[in-house]
Amino acid sequence: QVQLVESGGGLVQTGDSLRLSCAVSGRTHVTSVLGWFRQAPGKERVFVSAVTWGGGDTMYSDSVKGRFTISRDIANSTVDLQMNSLKPEDTAVYYCGVTTGRLNIATRAPKAYYSWGRGTQVTVSS
């Protein structure tokens, strides 16, 4: 079983940056995929970005491509999400999840993930 704990959220202004971190513990594997999702009030959880644990391959949603960067640090067992040029529409609770396999369309679906953290709140004021 893999345990995930998110940190780094906060209240920022439009255009600011934040760096989220997901601490990963338990049985990860080279085929593990770590993903970041977000959920705004009253809305479904949606895909933001993912990275393969073994190879470091990445995937982004169109809404964050070019602004967000995902990375993993195997030595420290963390997956970070660097968020730049933040917008009010980025406001949400951000969750870290884990699945296995390759990066493909299924990676974007929350139902593919078998373990989640509790989330961290990101609020971007206009």
Side-chain angles (χ1 to χ4, degrees):
Q1 188 71 353
V2 177
Q3 293 79 42
L4 307 169
V5 179
E6 303 93 337
S7 63
L11 172 62
V12 296
Q13 295 184 334
T14 298
D16 285 351
S17 298
L18 269 179
R19 189 176 184 90
L20 305 183
S21 186
C22 175
V24 183
S25 60
R27 296 188 63 184
T28 54
H29 191 267
V30 292
T31 62
S32 296
V33 173
L34 280 297
W36 281 99
F37 286 71
R38 64 189 182 188
Q39 188 167 15
K43 296 189 176 181
E44 296 183 347
R45 191 170 298 189
V46 297
F47 174 78
V48 174
S49 183
V51 62
T52 59
W53 192 249
D57 297 326
T58 60
M59 174 187 286
Y60 298 92
S61 68
D62 289 343
S63 62
V64 307
K65 195 175 296 182
R67 299 189 298 125
F68 292 10
T69 303
I70 192 170
S71 60
R72 93 270 190 255
D73 184 336
I74 295 177
N76 292 307
S77 293
T78 59
V79 176
D80 289 353
L81 185 68
Q82 176 65 43
M83 306 186 297
N84 298 330
S85 302
L86 283 162
K87 306 174 182 180
E89 51 263 45
D90 294 318
T91 295
V93 177
Y94 283 70
Y95 295 92
C96 181
V98 59
T99 184
T100 57
R102 299 180 178 180
L103 296 181
N104 52 40
I105 192 170
T107 308
R108 300 174 181 267
K111 65 181 181 181
Y113 292 72
Y114 62 84
S115 185
W116 295 92
R118 293 188 174 185
T120 186
Q121 176 71 47
V122 172
T123 303
V124 184
S125 64
S126 57

